[in-house]
Structures are given as C-alpha cells and as structure tokens.
Amino acid sequence: MMTSIQAQWAYHKYWVMGHSQAHYNAIRLLFKGNDWSADKEKDFYRLLAEAQAIAPTGATLRTAYQHIWGYFKKVANDEERDAYKEMIGDETTYEELGEFLVQMIENYQPKYLVNSKFYEDGGL
C-alpha cells in the first residue's frame, strides 16, 4: 500500500505545492517515518481534494516553479536560463512560465516530472 501512495504523492507533489504550501507540508508530514495507515491514506486524499479547491497564488507558484526549475538549472542553455530568470521575477508572466516549464519537461524529459500531474495538466 505504501508504494502506491508514494507514487501518488510523487505524481501530485509540485501540483500541491503550487496550490498550497500548507497542504504540501501537511502531506509531507504524513509520510514522515514511513509509518502508513488507513487513516493516513484517508488524510492524504482529503488534503489533495482541499488543495484542489485552493487557487494558486504568486507565492505558491513561485515556490513550485523554483523547485521544478531545479531539474533544469544544470542542463539548460543560456537562453533558457535567461528566460527563466526574467519570468520568475515577474508574477504577470507566471502563466507563461508554467508553459515554459512544460516545454522544458518535453525537451529534457526528466522522468520524475514527465510522470507528474503538473506536466499532465500542462502547468498549474
């Protein structure tokens, strides 16, 4: 059961982070110690549903995008780095930045991100 839930968390991780840092932290605590139970599973799915009802903010998007960018910072070319730096500093470009990061996932294919809700949904 734990492996299946861990896979679900890996799939949802950056998506949750983009919606609610509090829910992200609460879910992380559920996994602490790898001591899983039916109650924790119920809490996990409740927290996912609650996060879905919360609209992303500039702050939550910035945090999620910075974490996602971490997969690319060493492989990106200068043009990609410049584009990221320009967009991360301006909340008005966050929709464009989400699309840019989706394109980066398509170009570089990091397995963890290719298999994520963030990528599947085309951003946040």
Side-chain angles (χ1 to χ4, degrees):
M1 177 170 58
M2 181 66 167
T3 303
S4 171
I5 294 296
Q6 287 172 324
Q8 282 295 307
W9 177 227
Y11 174 75
H12 286 93
K13 182 178 179 179
Y14 295 116
W15 177 87
V16 170
M17 187 184 288
H19 283 263
S20 168
Q21 188 67 42
H23 285 75
Y24 173 83
N25 290 337
I27 292 172
R28 278 188 46 219
L29 286 176
L30 290 176
F31 285 93
K32 190 173 182 178
N34 288 328
D35 179 27
W36 203 250
S37 67
D39 286 340
K40 283 188 175 186
E41 183 173 355
K42 186 177 172 182
D43 287 342
F44 173 73
Y45 286 110
R46 177 185 53 79
L47 288 164
L48 284 181
E50 288 176 5
Q52 184 172 3
I54 299 170
T57 66
T60 59
L61 289 174
R62 181 180 179 91
T63 299
Y65 290 164
Q66 287 172 324
H67 281 262
I68 293 167
W69 176 253
Y71 288 86
F72 305 111
K73 65 183 180 182
K74 292 183 180 176
V75 297
N77 62 40
D78 290 341
E79 183 180 321
E80 292 164 336
R81 281 188 197 92
D82 291 344
Y84 170 78
K85 287 177 188 175
E86 184 177 321
M87 288 184 276
I88 196 69
D90 181 0
E91 284 186 22
T92 64
T93 63
Y94 281 1
E95 183 176 337
E96 183 181 345
L97 180 54
E99 294 168 2
F100 170 78
L101 291 171
V102 167
Q103 186 62 51
M104 293 290 289
I105 295 168
E106 289 175 0
N107 291 346
Y108 292 99
Q109 297 286 304
K111 186 177 180 181
Y112 192 82
L113 293 177
V114 166
N115 297 316
S116 72
K117 183 167 177 59
F118 173 83
Y119 178 64
E120 184 178 289
D121 287 357
L124 290 170

